Amino acid sequence: MSVGEKFGHDMVSEVVEVGSENTDFKVGQRVYPYPVYAAGDPRKAGMLGGFTEYLLIKNAKLNHDLYLVPDKLSNEVAAMTEPFTVATKAVKRTYPQEGESACVYGAGTIGLGAALALQHFGCKKVMVVDHSNYRLKIASKLDFETVNSAREDLKKKQLNFFGQGMSLQGTEPKVDIFIDAVDNSEILQNYLDSTIVDSRMVLVGVDNQIKEIDLLKMTFASQSLIGSGGYRSDDVETVFNIFRENKDNIGKMVTKVEPWENLVDAFKLASDPYRSLNVQVKY
């Protein structure tokens, strides 16, 4: 990104003007701009312009470039649509089954979004792991089991919560799905070393380090290692359904809404995971 270029793509917007030939939208409607198409170039999705007062979406089409926000959703909840779509796509990549158990590493917006998506798809036991007590407290309010892995024995807590599963080695928890919403190489290695039979791990946190993987051991354990980047159009409607189901709780994830004049303060607060979770800017 160069100086002076637009940036930001997590947003909810209000239509203030419509072109004369556009019949899909009306002034006053709230919309979610789908960055991949709204930016006009998929390579510039991250630079759509969420931190600008006005956006021009050329040739906008309903349920393509822009999605109508359900009436009963607050702006604060709707503004989290984009990270929730990332989280939801990651969960879909595991093909979750009713009654399965899951462990999510990372209690940020994407991590908690993944936990809620797992619940939406029928997972009965969901644990959230992080180092931030601030974020874990919010995860607990959302009714998830929590572990501060910097202070607690993670494996012991997993065994107590999930029970013992099938592994090629030792005693391991009965976890079907793991979501890595952080970027820590140790999380991946611990998963592979666990050889929990028939388990799946999705990597959505960005870790650009080259890895060496013992494919033979992974194959014998029938483990699945899955990458998940971005999201697809159908994930938007799934997220709106998750929001509808949890509309009274998801707002708890928003730490603060700052006016645009306090943009720098908002960035400072958002960069501290021990004092914030989701910080928003209002224009």
PDB file of all heavy atoms in Angstrom, residues 249-266:
ATOM      1  N   ASN A 249     -25.837 -11.143  21.857  1.00  0.00           N
ATOM      2  CA  ASN A 249     -24.534 -11.443  22.459  1.00  0.00           C
ATOM      3  C   ASN A 249     -23.337 -10.895  21.688  1.00  0.00           C
ATOM      4  O   ASN A 249     -22.326 -10.531  22.275  1.00  0.00           O
ATOM      5  CB  ASN A 249     -24.358 -12.963  22.610  1.00  0.00           C
ATOM      6  CG  ASN A 249     -25.187 -13.526  23.742  1.00  0.00           C
ATOM      7  OD1 ASN A 249     -25.323 -12.902  24.788  1.00  0.00           O
ATOM      8  ND2 ASN A 249     -25.743 -14.704  23.538  1.00  0.00           N
ATOM      9  N   ILE A 250     -23.446 -10.853  20.360  1.00  0.00           N
ATOM     10  CA  ILE A 250     -22.279 -10.492  19.552  1.00  0.00           C
ATOM     11  C   ILE A 250     -21.808  -9.070  19.821  1.00  0.00           C
ATOM     12  O   ILE A 250     -20.621  -8.762  19.727  1.00  0.00           O
ATOM     13  CB  ILE A 250     -22.568 -10.728  18.055  1.00  0.00           C
ATOM     14  CG1 ILE A 250     -22.692 -12.230  17.800  1.00  0.00           C
ATOM     15  CG2 ILE A 250     -21.473 -10.138  17.179  1.00  0.00           C
ATOM     16  CD1 ILE A 250     -22.901 -12.608  16.370  1.00  0.00           C
ATOM     17  N   GLY A 251     -22.722  -8.189  20.190  1.00  0.00           N
ATOM     18  CA  GLY A 251     -22.330  -6.821  20.514  1.00  0.00           C
ATOM     19  C   GLY A 251     -21.332  -6.746  21.651  1.00  0.00           C
ATOM     20  O   GLY A 251     -20.600  -5.750  21.790  1.00  0.00           O
ATOM     21  N   LYS A 252     -21.260  -7.802  22.484  1.00  0.00           N
ATOM     22  CA  LYS A 252     -20.298  -7.834  23.587  1.00  0.00           C
ATOM     23  C   LYS A 252     -18.849  -7.853  23.088  1.00  0.00           C
ATOM     24  O   LYS A 252     -17.928  -7.552  23.841  1.00  0.00           O
ATOM     25  CB  LYS A 252     -20.544  -9.070  24.464  1.00  0.00           C
ATOM     26  CG  LYS A 252     -21.905  -9.094  25.137  1.00  0.00           C
ATOM     27  CD  LYS A 252     -22.154 -10.408  25.853  1.00  0.00           C
ATOM     28  CE  LYS A 252     -23.548 -10.459  26.462  1.00  0.00           C
ATOM     29  NZ  LYS A 252     -23.838 -11.765  27.100  1.00  0.00           N
ATOM     30  N   MET A 253     -18.670  -8.195  21.822  1.00  0.00           N
ATOM     31  CA  MET A 253     -17.329  -8.254  21.256  1.00  0.00           C
ATOM     32  C   MET A 253     -16.767  -6.870  20.933  1.00  0.00           C
ATOM     33  O   MET A 253     -15.560  -6.719  20.722  1.00  0.00           O
ATOM     34  CB  MET A 253     -17.326  -9.124  19.998  1.00  0.00           C
ATOM     35  CG  MET A 253     -17.627 -10.588  20.249  1.00  0.00           C
ATOM     36  SD  MET A 253     -17.812 -11.553  18.728  1.00  0.00           S
ATOM     37  CE  MET A 253     -16.247 -11.237  17.898  1.00  0.00           C
ATOM     38  N   VAL A 254     -17.638  -5.874  20.853  1.00  0.00           N
ATOM     39  CA  VAL A 254     -17.188  -4.518  20.489  1.00  0.00           C
ATOM     40  C   VAL A 254     -16.700  -3.789  21.738  1.00  0.00           C
ATOM     41  O   VAL A 254     -17.467  -3.511  22.651  1.00  0.00           O
ATOM     42  CB  VAL A 254     -18.326  -3.724  19.822  1.00  0.00           C
ATOM     43  CG1 VAL A 254     -17.833  -2.322  19.451  1.00  0.00           C
ATOM     44  CG2 VAL A 254     -18.830  -4.461  18.584  1.00  0.00           C
ATOM     45  N   THR A 255     -15.417  -3.476  21.765  1.00  0.00           N
ATOM     46  CA  THR A 255     -14.821  -2.786  22.913  1.00  0.00           C
ATOM     47  C   THR A 255     -15.210  -1.318  22.934  1.00  0.00           C
ATOM     48  O   THR A 255     -15.592  -0.770  23.975  1.00  0.00           O
ATOM     49  CB  THR A 255     -13.289  -2.899  22.868  1.00  0.00           C
ATOM     50  OG1 THR A 255     -12.925  -4.286  22.867  1.00  0.00           O
ATOM     51  CG2 THR A 255     -12.652  -2.197  24.064  1.00  0.00           C
ATOM     52  N   LYS A 256     -15.119  -0.680  21.765  1.00  0.00           N
ATOM     53  CA  LYS A 256     -15.380   0.762  21.721  1.00  0.00           C
ATOM     54  C   LYS A 256     -15.649   1.202  20.291  1.00  0.00           C
ATOM     55  O   LYS A 256     -15.098   0.631  19.342  1.00  0.00           O
ATOM     56  CB  LYS A 256     -14.187   1.537  22.285  1.00  0.00           C
ATOM     57  CG  LYS A 256     -14.465   2.989  22.613  1.00  0.00           C
ATOM     58  CD  LYS A 256     -13.291   3.626  23.349  1.00  0.00           C
ATOM     59  CE  LYS A 256     -13.617   5.044  23.805  1.00  0.00           C
ATOM     60  NZ  LYS A 256     -12.473   5.662  24.509  1.00  0.00           N
ATOM     61  N   VAL A 257     -16.496   2.212  20.146  1.00  0.00           N
ATOM     62  CA  VAL A 257     -16.728   2.859  18.851  1.00  0.00           C
ATOM     63  C   VAL A 257     -16.242   4.297  18.969  1.00  0.00           C
ATOM     64  O   VAL A 257     -16.763   5.075  19.771  1.00  0.00           O
ATOM     65  CB  VAL A 257     -18.217   2.830  18.458  1.00  0.00           C
ATOM     66  CG1 VAL A 257     -18.415   3.546  17.122  1.00  0.00           C
ATOM     67  CG2 VAL A 257     -18.725   1.395  18.376  1.00  0.00           C
ATOM     68  N   GLU A 258     -15.238   4.651  18.177  1.00  0.00           N
ATOM     69  CA  GLU A 258     -14.640   5.983  18.222  1.00  0.00           C
ATOM     70  C   GLU A 258     -15.104   6.817  17.033  1.00  0.00           C
ATOM     71  O   GLU A 258     -15.285   6.289  15.932  1.00  0.00           O
ATOM     72  CB  GLU A 258     -13.113   5.889  18.177  1.00  0.00           C
ATOM     73  CG  GLU A 258     -12.458   5.309  19.429  1.00  0.00           C
ATOM     74  CD  GLU A 258     -12.229   6.364  20.501  1.00  0.00           C
ATOM     75  OE1 GLU A 258     -12.851   7.445  20.430  1.00  0.00           O
ATOM     76  OE2 GLU A 258     -11.421   6.107  21.403  1.00  0.00           O
ATOM     77  N   PRO A 259     -15.293   8.120  17.214  1.00  0.00           N
ATOM     78  CA  PRO A 259     -15.551   8.989  16.057  1.00  0.00           C
ATOM     79  C   PRO A 259     -14.293   9.057  15.196  1.00  0.00           C
ATOM     80  O   PRO A 259     -13.177   8.858  15.697  1.00  0.00           O
ATOM     81  CB  PRO A 259     -15.871  10.341  16.701  1.00  0.00           C
ATOM     82  CG  PRO A 259     -15.188  10.301  18.031  1.00  0.00           C
ATOM     83  CD  PRO A 259     -15.257   8.879  18.485  1.00  0.00           C
ATOM     84  N   TRP A 260     -14.450   9.333  13.911  1.00  0.00           N
ATOM     85  CA  TRP A 260     -13.297   9.300  13.012  1.00  0.00           C
ATOM     86  C   TRP A 260     -12.198  10.278  13.419  1.00  0.00           C
ATOM     87  O   TRP A 260     -11.018  10.065  13.118  1.00  0.00           O
ATOM     88  CB  TRP A 260     -13.739   9.567  11.570  1.00  0.00           C
ATOM     89  CG  TRP A 260     -14.191  10.968  11.289  1.00  0.00           C
ATOM     90  CD1 TRP A 260     -15.456  11.456  11.333  1.00  0.00           C
ATOM     91  CD2 TRP A 260     -13.359  12.073  10.909  1.00  0.00           C
ATOM     92  NE1 TRP A 260     -15.487  12.795  11.016  1.00  0.00           N
ATOM     93  CE2 TRP A 260     -14.211  13.202  10.748  1.00  0.00           C
ATOM     94  CE3 TRP A 260     -11.985  12.228  10.686  1.00  0.00           C
ATOM     95  CZ2 TRP A 260     -13.720  14.453  10.379  1.00  0.00           C
ATOM     96  CZ3 TRP A 260     -11.507  13.484  10.314  1.00  0.00           C
ATOM     97  CH2 TRP A 260     -12.366  14.576  10.168  1.00  0.00           C
ATOM     98  N   GLU A 261     -12.580  11.338  14.125  1.00  0.00           N
ATOM     99  CA  GLU A 261     -11.567  12.304  14.570  1.00  0.00           C
ATOM    100  C   GLU A 261     -10.559  11.663  15.530  1.00  0.00           C
ATOM    101  O   GLU A 261      -9.446  12.154  15.701  1.00  0.00           O
ATOM    102  CB  GLU A 261     -12.235  13.495  15.267  1.00  0.00           C
ATOM    103  CG  GLU A 261     -13.077  14.376  14.346  1.00  0.00           C
ATOM    104  CD  GLU A 261     -14.513  13.906  14.269  1.00  0.00           C
ATOM    105  OE1 GLU A 261     -14.811  12.770  14.697  1.00  0.00           O
ATOM    106  OE2 GLU A 261     -15.350  14.683  13.775  1.00  0.00           O
ATOM    107  N   ASN A 262     -10.958  10.542  16.176  1.00  0.00           N
ATOM    108  CA  ASN A 262     -10.078   9.838  17.128  1.00  0.00           C
ATOM    109  C   ASN A 262      -9.468   8.586  16.512  1.00  0.00           C
ATOM    110  O   ASN A 262      -9.212   7.601  17.207  1.00  0.00           O
ATOM    111  CB  ASN A 262     -10.867   9.457  18.387  1.00  0.00           C
ATOM    112  CG  ASN A 262     -11.352  10.657  19.157  1.00  0.00           C
ATOM    113  OD1 ASN A 262     -10.915  11.784  18.905  1.00  0.00           O
ATOM    114  ND2 ASN A 262     -12.255  10.429  20.095  1.00  0.00           N
ATOM    115  N   LEU A 263      -9.235   8.628  15.202  1.00  0.00           N
ATOM    116  CA  LEU A 263      -8.739   7.457  14.482  1.00  0.00           C
ATOM    117  C   LEU A 263      -7.441   6.910  15.083  1.00  0.00           C
ATOM    118  O   LEU A 263      -7.284   5.702  15.269  1.00  0.00           O
ATOM    119  CB  LEU A 263      -8.527   7.801  13.006  1.00  0.00           C
ATOM    120  CG  LEU A 263      -8.051   6.661  12.098  1.00  0.00           C
ATOM    121  CD1 LEU A 263      -9.087   5.546  12.055  1.00  0.00           C
ATOM    122  CD2 LEU A 263      -7.767   7.177  10.690  1.00  0.00           C
ATOM    123  N   VAL A 264      -6.517   7.779  15.407  1.00  0.00           N
ATOM    124  CA  VAL A 264      -5.225   7.332  15.960  1.00  0.00           C
ATOM    125  C   VAL A 264      -5.428   6.629  17.302  1.00  0.00           C
ATOM    126  O   VAL A 264      -4.855   5.569  17.561  1.00  0.00           O
ATOM    127  CB  VAL A 264      -4.257   8.525  16.113  1.00  0.00           C
ATOM    128  CG1 VAL A 264      -2.980   8.079  16.842  1.00  0.00           C
ATOM    129  CG2 VAL A 264      -3.898   9.100  14.743  1.00  0.00           C
ATOM    130  N   ASP A 265      -6.270   7.205  18.145  1.00  0.00           N
ATOM    131  CA  ASP A 265      -6.559   6.577  19.435  1.00  0.00           C
ATOM    132  C   ASP A 265      -7.195   5.213  19.242  1.00  0.00           C
ATOM    133  O   ASP A 265      -6.913   4.261  19.991  1.00  0.00           O
ATOM    134  CB  ASP A 265      -7.490   7.460  20.272  1.00  0.00           C
ATOM    135  CG  ASP A 265      -6.825   8.742  20.733  1.00  0.00           C
ATOM    136  OD1 ASP A 265      -5.581   8.765  20.825  1.00  0.00           O
ATOM    137  OD2 ASP A 265      -7.554   9.724  21.007  1.00  0.00           O
ATOM    138  N   ALA A 266      -8.064   5.111  18.242  1.00  0.00           N
ATOM    139  CA  ALA A 266      -8.732   3.835  17.958  1.00  0.00           C
ATOM    140  C   ALA A 266      -7.717   2.776  17.555  1.00  0.00           C
ATOM    141  O   ALA A 266      -7.786   1.624  18.009  1.00  0.00           O
ATOM    142  CB  ALA A 266      -9.769   4.022  16.851  1.00  0.00           C
TER     143      ALA A 266
END
